[in-house]
Amino acid sequence: MIYDDFKRNHVILPGRENALIEFLNQDYKGMQHKLKHICNSHSEDALTWSCFDILANLPQKKKIFVLNRMFEDAYQDKSRIQIQDGQNESDQIEIYIGKQYTGLSSKESTEVDVSIEMPGVLVFIEAKLYNALSLASPPEKPHDQIARKLRIGLDSPLRDSREFFFIFLDIAPVDKLTKRMKKEEALSSSGGFHNKWKSAWWFKYYKYGRNNSLRPLSEELEGIEVFPMSVCSIADNMGWLTWSDLFKNILQGMISE
């Protein structure tokens, strides 16, 4: 659906109108790509803003509640991120939507859909709705979206003091999306939805490797100093989250005491 007013397409907290306008007008490599689908109900940017701006502006206790549950879901209860309320450092949680990062050694840059910065931890979230993963297209784009986010996150100026985590946010569980459509289904589907399996396939390819080896991930990280993190730790820190889990976590946080 295409709305007449972009405000109809976003959840806007009182007082956050100017912040939304600034977000929508962000420039990345000379393009203001967020304006293209500003009124489209299928916009990834609109949904990302609506969820994470709410989360960023929740009272601290509720924000921590949501983040802890979000990390539990993304890592299947095996997350090493656990935020403790009542500590001074918990006040330093920063949630950014559309922040740009540049690697120290590679000088590669990217705009991250959502990033979370807090003491000892840096989280990049790649958010997808109906679009598929953007694959590599050498020489202009030597890395796909997952590899690029991993490379820049591990090479960011924050790497010396923070452990890096990567979460892929998509419409369904990773195992559900790996199933490819039949040819006739793909031809009748709209947009790139019939290619959604590629996002899940590449995520699992990097996280679990090939033939019991994490060589695919190692090869994508060539030229990036990942010390003190091992490739195995990097793979362990890759999580998958669904929009439905995120919605539930935010709603539960809003009504929590």
Side-chain angles (χ1 to χ4, degrees), residues 55-67:
L55 175 55
N57 287 280
L58 285 177
Q60 191 71 8
K61 185 175 181 179
K62 294 177 181 289
K63 183 190 302 181
I64 293 172
F65 175 95
V66 175
L67 287 174

Side-chain angles (χ1 to χ4, degrees), residues 22 27 56 114 126 151 155 159 179 250 255:
E22 183 178 346
D27 181 283
V114 179
E126 177 69 27
R151 287 175 60 85
D155 195 32
R159 68 180 180 185
K179 182 179 179 180
I250 292 176
I255 65 174

Side-chain angles (χ1 to χ4, degrees), residues 17-247:
E17 295 85 357
N18 290 338
L20 172 59
I21 292 173
E22 183 178 346
F23 167 73
L24 293 172
N25 283 279
Q26 279 182 192
D27 181 283
Y28 181 65
K29 294 185 177 180
M31 297 181 292
Q32 292 176 304
H33 58 278
K34 292 181 178 62
L35 295 176
K36 185 176 181 180
H37 302 293
I38 194 171
C39 294
N40 192 322
S41 62
H42 295 165
S43 167
E44 293 170 358
D45 290 325
L47 189 58
T48 301
W49 166 273
S50 297
C51 289
F52 285 97
D53 193 63
I54 289 287
L55 175 55
N57 287 280
L58 285 177
Q60 191 71 8
K61 185 175 181 179
K62 294 177 181 289
K63 183 190 302 181
I64 293 172
F65 175 95
V66 175
L67 287 174
N68 281 334
R69 292 206 169 184
M70 186 184 81
F71 295 141
E72 288 174 6
D73 289 339
Y75 294 99
Q76 302 296 302
D77 292 329
K78 297 179 181 178
S79 173
R80 289 185 284 124
I81 311 175
Q82 184 67 38
I83 311 170
Q84 300 297 324
D85 193 11
Q87 299 179 356
N88 291 333
E89 62 181 26
S90 69
D91 295 333
Q92 301 174 36
I93 300 171
E94 298 290 346
I95 299 176
Y96 299 100
I97 308 171
K99 182 175 178 177
Q100 297 178 21
Y101 292 79
T102 300
L104 282 173
S105 60
S106 67
K107 306 303 180 184
E108 298 172 36
S109 63
T110 189
E111 182 180 272
V112 180
D113 293 329
V114 179
S115 54
I116 304 170
E117 299 178 9
M118 51 189 170
V121 172
L122 171 64
V123 183
F124 279 8
I125 299 177
E126 177 69 27
K128 290 293 182 186
L129 188 57
Y130 301 121
N131 290 328
L133 180 75
S134 176
L135 300 179
S137 180
E140 293 82 7
K141 292 173 56 179
H143 305 286
D144 60 72
Q145 282 183 302
I146 292 176
R148 187 161 63 251
K149 294 301 188 296
L150 291 172
R151 287 175 60 85
I152 295 173
L154 290 162
D155 195 32
S156 75
L158 301 174
R159 68 180 180 185
D160 291 338
S161 59
R162 309 184 196 218
E163 184 173 2
F164 177 68
F165 294 81
F166 173 80
I167 296 175
F168 202 101
L169 173 61
D170 213 325
I171 198 168
V174 63
D175 290 336
K176 296 292 185 182
L177 286 182
T178 51
K179 182 179 179 180
R180 305 187 191 187
M181 284 185 175
K182 295 179 181 178
K183 184 177 180 180
E184 57 271 19
E185 294 175 329
L187 291 173
S188 63
S189 66
S190 60
F193 191 70
H194 62 283
N195 284 322
K196 289 290 286 180
W197 64 270
K198 294 181 180 180
S199 301
W201 191 94
W202 282 97
F203 176 87
K204 295 180 72 173
Y205 183 63
Y206 292 138
K207 183 173 177 64
Y208 301 111
R210 179 181 56 193
N211 300 325
N212 297 316
S213 169
L214 289 176
R215 185 174 180 180
L217 180 57
S218 298
E219 290 176 345
E220 285 296 331
L221 298 179
E222 287 182 359
I224 300 297
E225 180 186 350
V226 297
F227 180 83
M229 291 186 68
S230 66
V231 175
C232 185
S233 295
I234 296 167
D236 286 342
N237 285 3
M238 294 177 63
W240 186 279
L241 183 69
T242 65
W243 286 105
S244 60
D245 283 334
L246 177 64
F247 294 156

